[in-house]
Amino acid sequence: VRDCIQKTLTEWSSKISQDQNQETLEVLECSVAQAIEKINPEERDELKVSAKLFIVGSNSSSIRDAVDLACSALGVAQLDSVIIVPPPVEDGTNLSLEYLQPYWKELENLVQNKKIVAIGTSDLDKTLLEQLYLWAQVKPSSNQVNLASCCVMPPDLTAFAKECDIQLLTHNDPKELLCEASFQEVLQESIQNVKANKWIPLWLLRYSVIVKSRGIIKSKGYIVQAKRNAS
């Protein structure tokens, strides 16, 4: 992730003048057009577009921004699946249904508006997954389990997922894929005269475009949104 952000920022920064640099940094909108491959509408039915959304430092309302930007970047009307990773809970606090609810409601709205087909979760144990399943209007279609936390899927989680037709997937993402300090550091290294400590990452979306019939990844990438602190 860090390398991708650094390469994009460095390339973007090299193409604009210092005057522009100062002006445009009120809104940090950097992209390298040739790095993103838009999907041919004629091929859309043959492809599955999935995303995992890591909320870093913002509220649930940014989920819509992330999905809209991903759809726009890839040239599609909807994403086939989105897995949500809410911001880490404070030390000493357990993840709860109440904590997940606002994020899940936002995802449900996007499903109802046909911006997403299926929605999933990450790192929920059987108890929390069951609570979410019973409460949710749009049921989770998948739950990712971190390979670092278990070599074998917990039997109770496996049984519940099978009963409710929830797909169990594995992942090896770190708990914090992009922290504030790491983002500010790469910003400082990539763009001259930027006050990196004023920038806070809001969310990071990782997308994959998969050829359904062959199960291979056609393209993948990251989209990141950050905001500048006025203070």
Side-chain angles (χ1 to χ4, degrees), residues 126-147:
K126 186 261 180 184
T127 303
L128 194 48
L129 183 60
E130 184 174 15
Q131 289 175 353
L132 177 65
Y133 185 88
L134 293 172
W135 167 80
Q137 288 185 306
V138 179
K139 308 299 182 185
S141 65
S142 61
N143 179 48
Q144 283 192 337
V145 179
N146 196 324
L147 284 170

Side-chain angles (χ1 to χ4, degrees), residues 57-68:
S58 63
N59 55 37
S60 57
S61 62
S62 62
I63 293 173
R64 178 174 292 275
D65 292 340
V67 171
D68 285 344

Side-chain angles (χ1 to χ4, degrees), residues 4-178:
C4 288
I5 294 172
Q6 186 164 30
K7 187 172 181 183
T8 300
L9 289 175
T10 302
E11 192 165 335
W12 173 81
S13 181
S14 69
K15 291 180 179 177
I16 62 172
S17 71
Q18 287 304 306
D19 290 342
Q20 283 181 303
N21 208 334
Q22 291 301 315
E23 291 171 18
T24 55
L25 281 179
E26 287 303 318
V27 176
L28 185 60
E29 187 176 336
C30 320
S31 63
V32 181
Q34 65 270 27
I36 299 178
E37 183 183 349
K38 284 194 182 286
I39 292 172
N40 185 334
E42 293 177 5
E43 297 179 352
R44 181 63 182 94
D45 290 343
E46 302 165 19
L47 304 171
K48 179 182 179 181
V49 184
S50 59
K52 186 170 182 178
L53 177 59
F54 301 82
I55 307 294
V56 183
S58 63
N59 55 37
S60 57
S61 62
S62 62
I63 293 173
R64 178 174 292 275
D65 292 340
V67 171
D68 285 344
L69 276 171
C71 287
S72 175
L74 296 169
V76 296
Q78 66 178 186
L79 304 179
D80 293 299
S81 72
V82 173
I83 287 172
I84 185 77
V85 182
V89 293
E90 294 178 7
D91 289 341
T93 307
N94 292 324
L95 190 62
S96 65
L97 177 62
E98 290 73 25
Y99 188 77
L100 289 171
Q101 282 172 336
Y103 300 98
W104 199 258
K105 281 179 182 174
E106 197 64 33
L107 287 174
E108 287 182 329
N109 289 336
L110 290 168
V111 172
Q112 286 153 7
N113 292 331
K114 300 191 181 331
K115 294 293 287 186
I116 308 173
V117 178
I119 49 180
T121 57
S122 184
D123 299 318
L124 299 195
D125 60 17
K126 186 261 180 184
T127 303
L128 194 48
L129 183 60
E130 184 174 15
Q131 289 175 353
L132 177 65
Y133 185 88
L134 293 172
W135 167 80
Q137 288 185 306
V138 179
K139 308 299 182 185
S141 65
S142 61
N143 179 48
Q144 283 192 337
V145 179
N146 196 324
L147 284 170
S149 63
C150 67
C151 298
V152 179
M153 291 281 186
D156 61 342
L157 180 62
T158 305
F160 177 74
K162 186 176 181 181
E163 179 188 335
C164 297
D165 196 25
I166 298 171
Q167 188 178 16
L168 289 182
L169 307 167
T170 58
H171 76 93
N172 58 359
D173 295 318
K175 274 195 169 182
E176 207 169 22
L177 195 63
L178 179 69

Side-chain angles (χ1 to χ4, degrees), residues 191-217:
I191 303 177
Q192 290 183 356
N193 304 324
V194 66
K195 293 178 180 176
N197 62 337
K198 289 187 175 290
W199 287 94
I200 300 170
L202 299 181
W203 52 260
L204 182 147
L205 179 141
R206 181 178 65 210
Y207 67 84
S208 300
V209 180
I210 300 163
V211 181
K212 290 178 185 176
S213 59
R214 297 165 67 191
I216 61 170
I217 297 175

